[in-house]
């Protein structure tokens, strides 16, 4: 498989431009006609510390990171050479080379910067190279960059070198550089790119086989992350107000929206804390604007009070939750799917909210739009749950996927004409929370509308919004609010939001949610290719849970393996809770080391599970079925 | 017809419009200072010229939070300490609304202290009324952020070891452009200050002394007070920040010694409101955002152009 695809990894120190260089590299390959996918790994540090990004590219669509990688560009960690006397940087300096060798596939390519890295510092380097049939191309990238421009342009030298080795046309890189760089930086960069490219061709005899294949797209492609598509979905659905507090990895969505909204006549507010952020979103929504807020686990915890208020007061709002590994501040820059139960059940009282979990970059756009449609259509809070992996990974998607009409419809609101006809309670108050509402959705009025004033309260209230503790009123209002989820479940069923993978009929099932969907899809294909009978489902609806679809899926298979990135099998638990059975059919494949699954880990885990064995030596855990 | 035809309606406003025709049974104790706030607020509305449908009153939790049960307008009885972020976002969404936030001293200076500081700093064009009775009332008499040092309660049986919060100084330091203190025992001054606060273009903070006859009989809120703006004893210019700071400190110190000083402490009519600042830097539209959702002719931009521009 690796013969047909490029899995290029650029490694260096945080702050050395690894992210921007890899983004351009992926874009260049996309423009060259290939399908691309990136996977990021970075420490919770600003400058220095080992970081890498992988770009996987092939002629067919790519849905996940690969198994390991086959081309390493090790740039060195320039910040590990900080001359401050008191600073201790340990063995940081060599990490861009040393830390990446374990995952470099047999027959892979190594390009490293001899200006910053010395392979003699790595134990048994020569032996390992020989053992693994690696092809090593040492180059003093630092010196080249310094001689032809500035030392920071080492990245460009590295790109020129790997482009030469892989046979990628330089015009794509030049084009991208010209689009983003001012003239004084562009010229030396172009020179460095060509110089290194030519030097590599002249000086080295290529011993490796890997070349980038020819590709061509049927239609125009764009390179986007999950954070981008969540933001763009919100914009297209008419969201013009965002409030937030920075926290990794939610900050990405917040940043994109903060830059876009003023241009679109919207408002973005960075506020004092997450409680305020969510409360602001409620305030703006109440005043008649489509609004959102969001955070990551720790910040979302602070939002639990406003979230409950939104449920009780039926104030529509969209909150996005970008999961990172917990508990507490956990692994700030690493993905995990362990906040599922947190978003399902946080805040006091019976949960009456919608939780959606997009599975891919493209799906995140749809789910983001859907989140606003549901929030405003049903006057209910909607949480869009994703993780650091989905938020930060880049993928090519046809541009036409996003070519859709905007939808600024405010949903369940009245007009002033309707208010004249609407029932009003004692004190002239509009019946905002009427018992007889269709599908449980009682339309709201917006402050400033004549004849529409009413009281919103987080206390139990009567039809006019007045605080009311009467037991009959309580039961009626509770049942009305809860009944909205039935309508939403029906609506979502029609939208066909779950993603099916593999053949229609199969003996085994793979079940997943969120960012692991693409990886599971690839594993399903591989397993079927290897003679297994497997189908998969990527679930997007966490609340309300897609009971009918999941029951049908689980009844159709003998056994099913739930793949998720957490230690306690939260999604498996949710499935058993919601369906009330299938406990004897469901086993778990879990990973919670801060890295997302690789497809091979799922293949291996699956094979071990059906043979009733422990998962072999890798950082995943198999938990067998326990019965109902 | 505009989507918000209640806004800017040109007619005589009657204070009775703000009284629910079928008033819910009051749950405030007899003699409670909250009645004074309610009365003053109702009296202020006709002078401000706002009708119930264009007023959004956002409250927190506690006795004060019940204000909007007895006040007829768009109301948002929210959660403890969070009235300000809700109120200021509503104002950003629709600056044509008259936005008032209200809460108690625990609500505003305790749990919501952070929001108070930041809302004042940003100078949102709104009025913030803090019912200051130096006690937690609805939870039955615990020490509050404004209770005097040494105040004994069931949760502080040995007396509070903490100095009280200085709300006027805090508002000033944080950047509020209108700072006043009034008392429920003088509805005339209270009404005047409320009118001024609502007409003020910026964040108007009113520390509203309200007596709690049930849990805090010892507080000074009942005693006669001095209006610093009328008294000849105080040579005082409320448009001067330094004067204001000195006066506020004096009022905050003397309150616990038995002298109640009230009035306007600071009025800065020069400082632009947050909305104006945001509009000036191009981060907020001139037309109310909320109007746009009801405007059939408005052309909604799509992300697609942005997307092709940046991601191709």
């Amino acid at each position: 498989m690796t013969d047909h695809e490029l899995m290029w990894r650029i490694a260096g120190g945080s702050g050395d431009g690894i992210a921007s260089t890899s983004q351009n590299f992926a874009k260049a390959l996309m423009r060259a006609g290939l399908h691309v996918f990136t996977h990021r790994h970075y420490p919770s540090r600003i400058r220095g510390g080992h970081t890498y990004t992988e770009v996987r590219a092939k002629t067919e669509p790519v849905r996940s990171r690969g198994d390991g990688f086959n081309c390493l560009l090790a740039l060195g960690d320039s910040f590990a050479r900080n001359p401050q006397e008191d600073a201790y940087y340990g063995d940081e300096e060599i990490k861009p080379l040393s830390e990446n060798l374990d995952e470099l596939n047999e027959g892979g390519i190594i390009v490293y910067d001899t200006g910053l890295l010395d392979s003699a510092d790595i134990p048994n380097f020569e032996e390992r190279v020989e053992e693994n049939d690696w092809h090593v191309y040492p180059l003093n990238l630092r010196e080249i960059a310094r001689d032809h421009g500035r030392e920071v342009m080492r990245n460009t030298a590295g790109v020129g070198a790997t482009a030469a080795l892989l046979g990628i046309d330089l015009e794509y890189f030049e084009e991208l550089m010209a689009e983003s760089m001012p003239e004084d930086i562009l010229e030396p960069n172009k020179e460095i790119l060509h110089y290194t490219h030519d030097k590599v061709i002249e000086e080295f005899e290529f011993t490796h086989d890997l070349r980038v294949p020819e590709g061509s797209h049927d239609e125009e492609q764009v390179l986007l992350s999950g954070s981008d598509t969540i933001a763009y979905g919100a914009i297209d659905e008419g969201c013009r107000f965002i409030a937030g507090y920075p926290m990794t990895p939610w900050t990405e969505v917040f940043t994109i929206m903060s830059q876009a909204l003023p241009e679109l006549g919207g408002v973005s507010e960075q506020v004092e804390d997450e409680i305020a952020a969510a409360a602001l979103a409620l305030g703006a929504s109440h005043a008649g604007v489509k609004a959102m807020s969001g955070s990551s686990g720790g910040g979302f915890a602070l939002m639990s009070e406003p979230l409950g208020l939104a449920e009780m007061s039926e104030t529509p709002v969209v909150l996005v939750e970008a999961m990172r590994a917990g508990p507490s501040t956990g692994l700030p820059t690493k993905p995990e799917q362990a906040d599922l139960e947190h978003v399902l059940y946080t805040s006091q009282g019976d949960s009456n909210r919608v939780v959606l979990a997009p599975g891919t970059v493209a799906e995140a756009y749809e789910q983001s739009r859907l989140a606003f449609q549901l929030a405003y259509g049903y006057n209910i809070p909607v949480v869009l749950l994703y993780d650091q992996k989905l938020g930060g990974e880049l993928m090519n998607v046809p541009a036409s996927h996003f070519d859709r009409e905007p939808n600024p419809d405010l949903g369940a609101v009245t007009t002033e004409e309707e208010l004249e006809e609407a029932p009003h309670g004692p004190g002239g108050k509009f019946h905002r929370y009427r018992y007889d509402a269709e599908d449980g959705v009682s339309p709201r009025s917006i402050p400033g509308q004549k004849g529409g004033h009413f009281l919103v309260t987080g206390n139990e209230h009567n039809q006019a919004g007045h605080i009311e503790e009467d037991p009959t009123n309580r039961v009626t209002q509770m049942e009305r609010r809860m009944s909205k989820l039935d309508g939403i479940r029906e609506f979502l069923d029609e939208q066909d939001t779950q993603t099916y993978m593999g053949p229609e009929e199969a003996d085994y099932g793979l079940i997943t949610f969120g960012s692991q969907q693409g990886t599971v899809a690839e594993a399903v294909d591989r397993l079927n290719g290897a003679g297994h009978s497997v189908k998969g489902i990527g679930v997007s609806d966490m609340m309300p849970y897609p009971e009918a679809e999941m029951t049908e899926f689980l009844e159709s298979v003998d056994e099913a393996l739930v793949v998720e990135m957490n230690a306690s099998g939260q999604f498996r638990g949710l499935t058993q809770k919601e369906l009330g059975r299938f406990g004897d059919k469901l086993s778990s494949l879990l990973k919670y080391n801060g890295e997302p699954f690789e497809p091979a880990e799922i293949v291996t885990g699956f094979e071990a599970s059906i043979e009733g064995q422990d998962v072999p030596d890798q950082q995943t855990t198999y938990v067998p079925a326990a019965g109902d | 017809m505009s989507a918000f035809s209640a806004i800017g309606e040109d007619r005589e406003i009657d204070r009775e419009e703000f009284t629910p025709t079928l008033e819910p049974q009051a749950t405030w104790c007899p003699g409670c200072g909250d009645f004074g706030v309610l009365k003053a607020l109702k009296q202020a509305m006709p002078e401000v010229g706002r009708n119930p449908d264009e007023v959004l009153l956002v409250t927190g939790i506690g006795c004060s939070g019940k204000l909007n049960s007895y006040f007829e307008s768009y109301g948002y009885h929210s959660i403890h300490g969070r009235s300000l972020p809700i109120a200021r976002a509503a104002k950003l969404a629709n600056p044509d609304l008259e936005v008032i936030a209200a809460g108690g001293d625990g609500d505003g200076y305790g749990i919501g202290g952070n929001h108070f500081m930041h809302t004042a700093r940003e100078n949102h064009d709104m009025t913030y009324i803090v019912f200051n009775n130096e006690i937690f009332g609805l939870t039955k008499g615990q020490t509050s952020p404004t209770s005097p040092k040494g105040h004994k309660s069931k949760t502080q049986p040995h007396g509070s070891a903490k100095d009280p919060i200085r709300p006027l100084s805090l508002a000033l330091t944080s950047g509020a452009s209108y700072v006043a203190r009034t008392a429920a025992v003088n509805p005339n001054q209270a009404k005047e200050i409320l009118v001024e606060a609502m007409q003020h273009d910026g964040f108007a903070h009113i520390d509203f002394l309200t007596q709690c006859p049930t849990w805090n009989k010892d507080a000074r809120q009942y005693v006669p007070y001095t209006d610093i703006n009328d008294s000849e004893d105080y040579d005082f210019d409320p448009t001067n920040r330094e004067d204001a700071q000195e006066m506020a400190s004096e009022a905050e110190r003397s309150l616990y010694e038995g002298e109640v000083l009230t009035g306007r402490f600071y009025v800065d009519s020069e400082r632009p409101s947050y909305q104006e600042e945001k509009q000036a830097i191009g981060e907020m539209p001139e037309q109310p955002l909320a109007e746009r959702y009801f405007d059939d002719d408005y052309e909604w931009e799509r992300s697609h152009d942005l997307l092709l521009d940046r991601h191709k």
Side-chain angles (χ1 to χ4, degrees):
Chain A
M1 192 144 226
T2 49
D3 293 337
H4 309 295
E5 61 182 334
L6 170 66
M7 291 181 288
W8 181 85
R9 182 186 282 194
I10 180 173
S14 270
D16 275 337
I18 304 302
S20 57
T21 308
S22 59
Q23 194 168 335
N24 269 349
F25 193 82
K27 221 179 208 183
L29 292 180
M30 178 183 81
R31 289 184 179 187
L34 292 164
H35 291 275
V36 292
F37 187 97
T38 72
H39 162 62
R40 283 193 306 176
H41 171 104
Y42 60 104
S44 183
R45 282 172 63 165
I46 306 306
R47 287 184 175 259
H50 175 236
T51 176
Y52 69 77
T53 303
E54 274 170 26
V55 178
R56 189 181 182 195
K58 49 181 184 172
T59 48
E60 306 91 56
V62 200
R63 291 166 296 190
S64 77
R65 69 181 292 197
D67 302 320
F69 66 100
N70 56 18
C71 180
L72 173 66
L73 170 58
L75 288 176
D77 182 347
S78 66
F79 298 100
R81 295 204 161 193
N82 196 319
Q84 277 170 335
E85 270 177 37
D86 292 337
Y88 172 71
Y89 290 100
D91 58 355
E92 288 292 308
E93 193 174 277
I94 197 68
K95 277 186 177 172
L97 188 56
S98 65
E99 289 288 295
N100 295 293
L101 296 178
D102 287 349
E103 291 125 41
L104 179 60
N105 295 341
E106 217 177 283
I109 301 165
I110 300 173
V111 177
Y112 72 93
D113 184 357
T114 56
L116 281 163
L117 301 164
D118 187 353
S119 64
D121 293 344
I122 296 170
N124 310 320
F125 184 70
E126 294 305 328
E127 288 90 328
R128 291 183 71 181
V129 167
E130 201 166 317
E131 222 170 83
N132 289 293
D133 186 27
W134 288 332
H135 306 267
V136 188
Y137 303 94
L139 274 163
N140 196 333
L141 302 171
R142 189 188 189 194
E143 194 177 81
I144 295 171
R146 199 193 284 145
D147 290 350
H148 297 265
R150 299 213 318 263
E151 197 175 309
V152 289
M153 297 169 184
R154 292 174 296 124
N155 297 350
T156 308
V159 168
T162 54
L165 292 166
L166 299 167
I168 309 169
D169 205 326
L170 290 186
E171 65 170 314
Y172 300 109
F173 299 108
E174 281 184 287
E175 237 176 59
L176 280 162
M177 285 166 146
E179 286 168 24
S180 61
M181 290 176 179
E183 196 68 22
D184 58 327
I185 298 178
L186 176 65
E187 283 314 315
N189 266 297
K190 269 162 84 170
E191 194 186 321
I192 290 168
L193 185 74
H194 280 277
Y195 178 84
T196 325
H197 179 269
D198 297 350
K199 183 182 166 76
V200 166
I201 290 177
E202 276 165 32
E203 286 186 13
F204 290 107
E205 191 186 326
F206 292 3
T207 54
H208 63 279
D209 299 328
L210 181 66
R211 300 288 185 278
V212 167
E214 292 269 318
S216 76
H217 294 295
D218 297 338
E219 52 172 317
E220 192 173 39
Q221 304 285 314
V222 281
L223 188 69
L224 295 164
S225 69
S227 297
D228 289 322
T229 50
I230 287 169
Y232 294 146
I235 288 168
D236 286 351
E237 210 50 42
C239 173
R240 290 294 181 274
F241 187 97
I242 192 167
Y245 185 86
M247 183 171 180
T248 305
W250 129 267
T251 314
E252 291 174 347
V253 169
F254 186 33
T255 306
I256 298 162
M257 292 294 281
S258 299
Q259 286 169 5
L261 282 185
E263 288 177 36
L264 305 173
V267 173
S268 166
E269 278 286 289
Q270 183 184 317
V271 296
E272 58 271 25
D273 58 38
E274 286 88 347
I275 311 176
L280 259 96
L282 291 189
S285 171
H286 179 66
V289 171
K290 282 191 174 175
M292 76 192 286
S293 183
S295 192
S296 297
F300 190 81
L302 295 185
M303 294 182 168
S304 76
E305 248 200 338
L307 174 65
L309 176 62
E311 293 182 2
M312 187 49 135
S313 67
E314 303 177 61
T315 308
V317 72
V318 174
L319 301 175
V320 306
E321 215 263 48
M323 291 182 278
R324 65 192 215 186
S328 192
T329 30
L331 300 169
T333 61
K334 306 289 168 60
E336 200 168 82
Q337 298 178 298
D339 293 348
L340 174 61
E341 289 179 349
H342 180 48
V343 301
L344 286 172
Y345 311 122
T346 190
S347 190
Q348 63 272 41
D350 289 309
S351 294
N352 183 36
R353 71 195 65 164
V354 178
V355 180
L356 303 177
T360 64
V361 167
E363 240 183 70
Y365 174 80
E366 260 105 42
Q367 300 274 319
S368 177
R369 294 198 69 155
L370 204 50
F372 282 91
Q373 285 164 28
L374 293 173
Y376 285 80
Y378 289 85
N379 287 336
I380 194 169
V382 179
V383 182
L384 195 61
L385 181 69
Y386 68 109
D387 64 46
Q388 185 266 359
K389 175 186 183 292
L390 182 59
E393 71 196 9
L394 292 164
M395 217 179 146
N396 65 294
V397 186
S400 61
H401 183 83
F402 307 99
D403 191 4
R404 303 185 211 180
E405 285 307 305
N407 177 30
D409 184 10
L410 269 188
V413 295
T414 57
T415 59
E416 291 194 340
E417 290 84 347
E418 286 163 344
L419 277 171
E420 281 174 25
E421 307 295 319
H424 284 68
K429 278 197 173 105
F430 159 59
H431 267 184
R432 161 68 181 90
Y433 303 102
R434 51 194 291 192
Y435 295 149
D436 60 350
E438 197 184 331
D439 285 336
V441 187
S442 187
R444 64 195 178 118
S445 58
I446 306 291
Q449 284 185 327
K450 196 172 175 148
H453 68 260
F454 69 99
L455 178 61
V456 176
T457 169
N459 285 49
E460 188 55 273
H461 43 267
N462 61 22
Q463 299 192 91
H466 273 299
I467 295 171
E468 170 85 65
E469 297 188 346
D470 172 71
T472 310
N473 173 71
R474 162 70 177 175
V475 171
T476 310
Q477 294 288 29
M478 273 304 283
E479 286 179 350
R480 182 182 60 75
R481 287 190 297 265
M482 299 298 287
S483 76
K484 289 197 256 184
L485 287 176
D486 299 330
I488 292 170
R489 186 182 280 114
E490 265 176 51
F491 176 81
L492 285 170
D493 277 350
E494 286 163 25
Q495 304 286 310
D496 204 12
T497 45
Q498 275 48 256
T499 305
Y500 292 91
M501 315 156 200
E504 266 182 44
E505 301 289 329
D507 298 339
Y508 295 95
L510 282 181
I511 298 173
T512 195
F513 82 102
S515 70
Q516 299 311 290
Q517 187 175 299
T519 321
V520 168
E522 185 165 341
V524 167
D525 287 351
R526 285 199 207 177
L527 286 165
N528 284 301
H532 294 287
S533 170
V534 184
K535 64 179 182 177
I537 186 166
V539 185
S540 303
D541 311 342
M542 303 290 109
M543 183 183 284
Y545 192 82
E547 284 172 14
E549 282 168 279
M550 286 306 284
T551 301
E552 199 184 325
F553 183 89
L554 284 168
E555 278 177 345
S556 74
V557 293
D558 298 335
E559 282 176 51
L561 184 65
V562 188
V563 180
E564 55 188 312
M565 283 193 293
N566 60 58
S568 55
Q570 296 185 11
F571 185 56
R572 172 185 168 183
L574 175 69
T575 301
Q576 275 177 248
K577 172 183 176 278
E578 289 289 333
L579 304 181
R581 59 193 179 111
F582 298 116
D584 54 345
K585 266 191 189 180
L586 295 167
S587 51
S588 283
L589 188 64
L590 308 171
K591 190 172 181 185
Y592 44 91
N593 67 350
E595 287 287 316
F597 279 99
E598 292 180 6
E601 289 174 328
I602 300 173
V603 170
T604 317
F606 175 84
E607 286 175 340
S609 81
I610 58 171
E611 283 154 21
Q613 293 167 356
D614 279 342
V615 179
D617 186 29
Q618 56 183 351
Q619 296 212 12
T620 57
T621 308
Y622 171 65
V623 184
D628 287 314
Chain B
M1 189 162 118
S2 155
F4 303 115
S5 68
I7 295 174
E9 201 181 23
D10 187 20
R11 62 172 176 85
E12 285 274 294
I13 312 287
D14 188 331
R15 57 167 282 202
E16 288 311 315
E17 290 179 49
F18 295 89
T19 304
T21 46
L22 194 72
E23 193 154 3
Q25 194 189 351
T27 55
W28 289 329
C29 306
C32 175
D34 294 5
F35 288 109
V37 185
L38 177 64
K39 186 177 172 193
L41 188 61
K42 282 184 194 169
Q43 280 177 335
M45 294 322 296
E47 274 188 51
V48 179
R50 296 289 212 160
N51 68 68
D53 282 329
E54 59 184 325
V55 176
L56 177 62
L57 173 63
V58 187
T59 57
I61 297 298
C63 296
S64 61
K66 295 182 174 179
L67 180 69
N68 45 21
S69 288
Y70 318 124
F71 183 79
E72 202 67 34
S73 75
Y74 277 95
Y76 205 121
H77 174 243
S78 63
I79 40 180
H80 206 196
R82 316 301 167 202
S83 63
L84 286 174
I86 291 176
R88 71 197 207 214
K91 186 73 186 181
L92 290 171
N94 191 349
D96 288 348
L97 295 172
E98 183 65 50
V99 176
I100 307 164
D105 43 87
D107 189 289
Y109 305 144
I111 189 166
N114 195 22
H115 308 312
F116 175 48
M117 201 163 78
H118 286 273
T119 311
R121 165 169 91 103
E122 290 165 6
N123 197 31
H124 289 268
D125 180 16
M126 54 185 281
T127 301
Y128 184 39
I129 307 166
V130 183
F131 294 50
N132 182 1
N133 59 8
E134 298 176 13
I135 200 84
F136 279 103
L138 200 59
T139 50
K140 303 192 173 176
Q142 295 80 12
T143 308
S144 95
T146 49
S147 301
K149 192 170 181 180
H151 179 265
K152 283 188 182 177
S153 69
K154 283 178 192 164
T155 51
Q156 308 243 250
H158 305 288
S160 169
K162 301 171 193 182
D163 259 357
I165 281 275
R166 292 167 172 78
L168 305 172
S169 300
L170 186 60
L172 265 166
T173 313
S174 304
S177 52
Y178 183 97
V179 180
R181 168 175 273 172
T182 186
V185 291
N186 193 332
N188 291 332
Q189 187 205 39
K191 185 206 81 179
E192 265 173 48
I193 281 183
L194 277 165
V195 171
E196 269 187 24
M198 281 187 260
Q199 285 169 346
H200 176 74
D201 186 18
F203 185 70
H205 166 238
I206 303 170
D207 186 61
F208 209 123
L209 301 174
T210 54
Q211 66 277 14
C212 178
T214 305
W215 300 110
N216 202 13
K217 292 184 180 67
D218 300 333
R220 297 291 162 197
Q221 278 85 336
Y222 307 99
V223 304
Y225 63 87
T226 309
D227 185 332
I228 50 166
N229 307 111
D230 285 349
S231 166
E232 283 174 11
D233 296 344
Y234 299 94
D235 178 22
F236 168 61
D237 174 12
T239 64
N240 181 302
R241 179 176 275 274
E242 277 165 26
D243 270 17
Q245 253 152 357
E246 219 170 285
M247 201 61 237
S249 303
E250 170 69 13
E252 282 160 341
R253 186 188 51 75
S254 65
L255 178 68
Y256 297 102
E257 291 166 5
E259 190 188 9
V260 184
L261 304 178
T262 64
R264 284 161 227 97
F265 286 79
Y266 186 56
V267 184
D268 178 357
S269 23
E270 301 297 309
R271 188 182 168 192
S273 70
Y274 187 59
Q275 171 198 331
E276 287 162 348
E277 300 270 22
K278 244 177 128 65
Q279 282 168 340
I281 58 165
E283 283 202 345
M284 193 174 153
E286 296 292 330
Q287 291 298 315
L289 199 46
E291 284 273 7
R292 202 175 292 168
Y293 291 86
F294 295 90
D295 180 358
D296 291 339
D297 297 327
Y298 185 79
E299 284 212 22
W300 288 83
E301 283 182 82
R302 302 185 307 157
S303 72
H304 197 242
D305 309 327
L306 204 75
L307 198 129
L308 289 182
D309 191 40
R310 295 185 189 168
H311 302 276
K312 213 162 68 176

